[in-house]
Amino acid sequence: MTIVTPFLLDSGQRAAAAKPSTATHLTDAQVEELGRELDALRESVIATRGAKDAAYIRRVIATQRSLELAGRATLLFAKHKPAWIAGTGMLTVAKILENMEIGHNVLHGQWDWMRDPDIHSTTWEWDFVTPSKAWQHTHNDLHHTWTNVIGKDRDVGYNVFRVDEGQPWQWWNLGNPLYNAMLAPVFEFGIAIYDLEFDQVREGTKSKADLKQGLKALGAKFLKQVAKDYVATPAAAALTGSGKQALGATLTANAARNIWAHAVIFCGHFPEGVDTFTEEQIEGETRGDWYLRQMLGSANISGSRLMHLMTGNLSFQIEHHLFPDLPSNRYAEVAVKVREICARYGLPYTTGPLPKQVGSYWGKIFRLALP
């Protein structure tokens, strides 16, 4: 992925009033020095990518595929409760690994440097209803460029939620908590609909022909997912009298994966302490300003190595937004340096354990449901 800064001016041309409230103490010169430090940090990782990193992602892919195969095989005997539990558990973990640590990161181009056509952002199709290409457009091209800019970043509330005071209150925002609870178990379908950009079609910025093409791609992907999870696996299990139980297991695995992905994404973008920005604030944005916006517009989740793996290392959301194309297995080491930089420049580094971050974004969802 190529990092894009929407506006570029020489250092010193931005007014202090344009900076976020948490960064008004920084001079333009300091912001640009911050940018140079982060550029240097990024280059240091790029210069040291190699066999160890490649072995990591291949090992994760092999583990994921083994878990999925074992899970589906075990579900052939899902009428027996132990087999149902074991098969559902393995399939759930496999789906989480595929979406979070593999699919999301491969589609960001984190492993394109390996020149492996099987692990490349242009060829990977993930285990998610929305087609990879549609997601790459709304996520890589738009969200990561316009992170948390009200009016530019459609991910700020996904056209459904009010998650910032800068968003005008509408009567239907009263349903914020209900919408969020309903979205979590079907998150992949919510993202698929969001990626079609119906709002852009209504506004005339996306053609009906493009929408039709998107619907066709989504339909093909949907049928493929249904055939794999809700036809093939239950049909095979039916041979042992376990068809209904296997169908319930695949539904459960997908719902559990969706709830987990929803929690991780919302923890990274909507808890208290995450800044949003106006279009005026980013006018004349420099490289350093862009980095600053990524740092202040994201939040991390603290936890164990296993937890970081299961989040796709999006528990390091700050580092991911700073360097979306660096290998995810390097975020932990990068985070130590980014946190030190934040402390040195007097900038907040928003992080906390999973329960705290989940509670924080849910609190915001409830609070901003009201005028």
Side-chain angles (χ1 to χ4, degrees):
M1 172 189 167
T2 301
I3 298 177
V4 179
T5 49
F7 303 99
L8 289 175
L9 287 181
D10 293 334
S11 175
Q13 288 184 275
R14 279 171 51 82
K19 294 188 179 72
S21 60
T22 49
T24 53
H25 61 286
L26 296 179
T27 65
D28 289 343
Q30 287 175 313
V31 172
E32 293 315 296
E33 180 58 29
L34 170 72
R36 285 189 286 272
E37 285 196 48
L38 291 170
D39 274 341
L41 178 55
R42 179 175 184 274
E43 289 303 316
S44 71
V45 176
I46 289 176
T48 56
R49 292 181 307 196
K52 185 177 180 181
D53 301 299
Y56 169 81
I57 190 59
R58 290 193 172 107
R59 184 167 62 250
V60 173
I61 290 173
T63 299
Q64 183 274 328
R65 289 174 176 171
S66 296
L67 280 170
E68 180 169 4
L69 181 61
R72 293 185 189 277
T74 304
L75 290 178
L76 296 178
F77 309 97
K79 67 180 180 180
H80 304 291
K81 190 172 182 179
W84 190 96
I85 293 172
T88 304
M90 286 187 285
L91 187 57
T92 299
V93 172
K95 285 179 171 289
I96 288 173
L97 282 175
E98 197 287 327
N99 280 181
M100 309 301 286
E101 181 65 338
I102 305 171
H104 173 275
N105 296 328
V106 169
L107 293 176
H108 261 296
Q110 293 183 8
W111 306 99
D112 287 1
W113 58 273
M114 293 167 54
R115 301 293 190 267
D116 184 337
D118 294 326
I119 312 174
H120 200 275
S121 62
T122 60
T123 59
W124 192 272
E125 188 56 64
W126 60 349
D127 181 31
F128 216 51
V129 168
T130 189
S132 294
K133 293 294 186 292
W135 179 84
Q136 284 175 310
H137 167 65
T138 59
H139 185 79
N140 294 8
D141 299 340
L142 301 181
H143 169 59
H144 273 269
T145 297
W146 303 106
T147 306
N148 283 25
V149 179
I150 304 296
K152 287 284 189 180
D153 183 5
R154 297 169 61 252
D155 279 20
V156 181
Y158 298 104
N159 300 320
V160 175
F161 305 103
R162 182 173 181 247
V163 293
D164 185 80
E165 288 85 351
Q167 295 173 300
W169 183 83
Q170 306 289 340
W171 67 266
W172 46 266
N173 294 137
L174 290 169
N176 254 16
L178 177 62
Y179 308 148
N180 198 38
M182 292 174 62
L183 175 65
V186 293
F187 189 55
E188 63 178 317
F189 294 97
I191 293 299
I193 293 170
Y194 170 76
D195 286 346
L196 289 171
E197 301 179 301
F198 284 108
D199 59 312
Q200 303 295 296
V201 177
R202 288 195 302 270
E203 294 172 7
T205 57
K206 178 174 180 173
S207 70
K208 291 184 178 179
D210 286 340
L211 174 61
K212 185 177 180 180
Q213 186 177 359
L215 284 167
K216 183 178 180 180
L218 175 59
K221 184 68 183 294
F222 173 75
L223 290 176
K224 180 180 178 181
Q225 294 297 108
V226 168
K228 178 176 65 174
D229 282 340
Y230 306 132
V231 177
T233 298
L239 298 175
T240 65
S242 300
K244 291 182 180 179
Q245 293 86 347
L247 177 60
T250 54
L251 284 165
T252 301
N254 278 319
R257 179 273 311 279
N258 288 336
I259 291 170
W260 178 253
H262 171 275
V264 171
I265 299 304
F266 275 50
C267 282
H269 296 90
F270 302 138
E272 299 292 347
V274 172
D275 279 344
T276 55
F277 310 84
T278 65
E279 292 185 53
E280 290 74 22
Q281 281 180 299
I282 66 166
E283 187 174 350
E285 188 174 63
T286 66
R287 178 73 160 178
D289 292 318
W290 185 88
Y291 273 135
L292 190 62
R293 177 158 56 86
Q294 306 310 311
M295 296 167 78
L296 301 179
S298 308
N300 283 8
I301 308 169
S302 58
S304 66
R305 290 180 63 184
L306 177 60
M307 198 277 295
H308 294 315
L309 172 67
M310 294 301 289
T311 65
N313 280 287
L314 292 179
S315 44
F316 297 109
Q317 189 70 232
I318 295 171
E319 290 70 26
H320 173 61
H321 265 271
L322 287 171
F323 313 116
D325 57 350
L326 292 187
S328 58
N329 62 310
R330 305 295 291 273
Y331 284 154
E333 66 183 80
V334 169
V336 176
K337 298 173 183 177
V338 171
R339 194 162 192 166
E340 184 275 326
I341 290 172
C342 284
R344 185 153 37 85
Y345 282 85
L347 297 169
Y349 185 88
T350 305
T351 188
L354 183 64
K356 176 187 174 183
Q357 299 298 69
V358 169
S360 181
Y361 82 70
W362 265 105
K364 184 181 283 188
I365 290 288
F366 272 95
R367 177 168 59 82
L368 294 177
L370 302 174

